[in-house]
Amino acid sequence: MKEVRLRFAPSPTGYLHIGGLRTALYNYLFAKGNNGKFILRIEDTDQGRYVEGALENLIQSLEWSGIEYDEGVYLQEDGSIVQKGDYGPYIQSERLGTYRKYVDQLIDSGHAYYCFCSRERLDSVREEQKINGLVPKYDGFCRNVTKEEAEERIANGEEYVVRLKLPRDYDIKFHDLVRGDIVINSDDSDDQVLLKSDGFPTYHMAVVVDDHLMEITHIVRGEEWLSSTPKHVYLYEALGWDEPVYVHLPTVLNKDRQKLSKRHGDVSVDDFKERGYLKEGLINYLALVGWSPETNQEILSMDELIEQFSFERVARTGGIFDKDKLDWVNAHYMRELSIEELTEGSIPYLKEAGYIDDEFVQENEEWLHLLLETIQESLHRLEEVTEKVGFIFDDFKVEEDSLEVLKGETVPELLQGIKEELEDVDEIDIEYASGFMKKIQKRTGIKGKNLFMPSRVALTGVSRGPEFANVLVLLGKERILERIEYVEENYI
Ligand code: GLU
């Protein structure tokens, strides 16, 4: 059997969109699940849309997410771009010499023609079509220019493009693994430009030639490309090439069923990375936007995704991107992090908040581990770390809602008890902290609700929070005494 080969073929026009990452992921999962190859090809024939740094960002985003490819374009540590694989170059602007030959072949076989129409003429045709309520498309003015005439005009220096010559009223048929059989009449399509006046191929020409030469077996891309597919199918026919399998993926939508756009919040892989989503969480969740496994399993590792993924279970209609669900999935992976991993991932956020610096990290490794272990269960993503540790780092004050708790009759006695208990203690370790409240109870005779709530409020400023014994260790003797004094002076 022929080796399965899939490609992700982004254009370097900006950051990697979360929908693009899902396209890459589905390509990757299918390739890996079928012992195939996954290729990264860069489609940069539209030089006007090139964005500086976009290529590097694309590669870095893929790398970060754990989607590895076997051939294509790579970024090295020194920032240089290299290409690996037997089918290169994998950057279309480096393949310009390749396309002309096939354009000529199409002209010779009568499947393409030279077009000399000026921009002004094309614009006025378009205007007229619009006025008449027609879908704007090329009117075929140059379809019958003979080859001889065309060659003469070219020799005289006239500018030209080459267009696909779609037969009139011709049904173009193809099968899509998600959408089934599709038939489109050529009259609903356009005589697409294949070669531009600057000698560059258009996307349509380049994509077909490259997919063929790179022996791509499955073309998996967003449904926004579906309307281009009939032209591609016809090009395969015209060039006498075997057609690949087509898969068009439903668009990733937000909860209001609109396309995810920058205007409505986060869309780039970088945005999600910055918010502190883990690659495992993002990938796991993204796989479920538009696809579901046969079981009801919702937590799947990359290996499980590879094993279970199939196009048959990709939905035909838009996949809804639900941030709450993403948070839920990501929280699972947050809990799975080792304490070292969690600490390492959290440090940049804590630094950014101004809570710690390098020196602090070096001197307080164990303390940081305990801090993060204490809040680990409550985190959905790394960015939330800063709000969860405010009770330690922020200037101490008691929250409005909790002030009432400090008005209890036994509170002064309770605070006095805590101070006395700590008098003979040098350092609070976890063992001592675990028995601390029992000791206070014995010492003061205060129990239950009157014991725990006011102690927590007096030391953390809020009435709920993580494991209290850990809080005691994290605060340490000095800070506990300071806070009690502050409470006595300001709230009682
Ligand atoms: N270059 C196209 C893009 O930017 C690729 C479309 C395709 O996969 O054929 O998405």
Side-chain angles (χ1 to χ4, degrees), residues 7 9-11 43 203 207 221 225:
R7 66 8 177 226
S11 299
E43 305 209 323
Y203 155 70
V207 80
R221 59 187 169 202
W225 300 102

Side-chain angles (χ1 to χ4, degrees), residues 40 42 55 59 69 71-75 81-83 90-91:
L40 176 66
I42 301 301
L55 173 57
I59 297 176
Y69 39 94
E71 292 169 33
V73 185
Y74 297 80
L75 181 65
I81 299 286
V82 292
Q83 302 184 41
Y90 295 90
I91 299 178

Side-chain angles (χ1 to χ4, degrees), residues 7-13 23 27 41-44 49 92 203 207 211 219-222 224-225 232 248:
R7 66 8 177 226
F8 178 53
S11 299
T13 53
T23 300
N27 271 286
R41 183 175 72 222
I42 301 301
E43 305 209 323
D44 61 344
R49 292 177 63 222
Q92 284 184 330
Y203 155 70
V207 80
D211 284 337
I219 293 183
V220 181
R221 59 187 169 202
E224 66 272 25
W225 300 102
H232 302 177
H248 289 91

Side-chain angles (χ1 to χ4, degrees), residues 209-319:
V209 170
D210 287 347
D211 284 337
H212 171 72
L213 294 180
M214 294 182 185
E215 298 187 36
I216 302 302
T217 55
H218 296 68
I219 293 183
V220 181
R221 59 187 169 202
E223 67 186 346
E224 66 272 25
W225 300 102
L226 190 63
S227 61
S228 302
T229 306
K231 299 170 198 167
H232 302 177
V233 170
Y234 185 71
L235 277 171
Y236 275 94
E237 245 175 75
L239 289 160
W241 293 341
D242 282 344
E243 231 180 87
V245 175
Y246 288 102
V247 184
H248 289 91
L249 304 173
T251 308
V252 178
L253 304 172
N254 66 20
K255 273 189 174 166
D256 302 328
R257 303 207 135 265
Q258 290 163 326
K259 268 193 172 177
L260 284 191
S261 75
K262 196 88 199 152
R263 231 168 0 109
H264 296 114
D266 301 324
V267 286
S268 77
V269 177
D270 281 346
D271 291 334
F272 287 89
K273 199 171 137 191
E274 274 161 31
R275 296 247 166 281
Y277 288 99
L278 304 174
K279 62 177 185 187
E280 293 83 0
L282 188 60
I283 287 291
N284 182 159
Y285 178 63
L286 212 46
L288 301 175
V289 179
W291 170 82
S292 56
E294 260 170 68
T295 60
N296 284 335
Q297 201 178 339
E298 289 184 300
I299 299 295
L300 297 106
S301 66
M302 190 71 107
D303 284 342
E304 288 173 305
L305 289 173
I306 290 172
E307 198 179 310
Q308 300 191 30
F309 183 79
S310 72
F311 290 122
E312 282 70 38
R313 297 192 61 81
V314 170
R316 288 175 71 127
T317 50

Side-chain angles (χ1 to χ4, degrees), residues 296-352:
N296 284 335
Q297 201 178 339
E298 289 184 300
I299 299 295
L300 297 106
S301 66
M302 190 71 107
D303 284 342
E304 288 173 305
L305 289 173
I306 290 172
E307 198 179 310
Q308 300 191 30
F309 183 79
S310 72
F311 290 122
E312 282 70 38
R313 297 192 61 81
V314 170
R316 288 175 71 127
T317 50
I320 305 292
F321 192 87
D322 174 351
K323 280 234 174 94
D324 295 333
K325 190 70 188 282
L326 167 63
D327 275 355
W328 180 83
V329 171
N330 202 64
H332 167 84
Y333 293 96
M334 290 295 292
R335 292 192 292 274
E336 301 241 300
L337 291 179
S338 72
I339 202 62
E340 288 77 18
E341 289 167 332
L342 178 60
T343 308
E344 202 190 311
S346 302
I347 286 172
Y349 295 92
L350 295 174
K351 278 191 187 163
E352 172 80 27

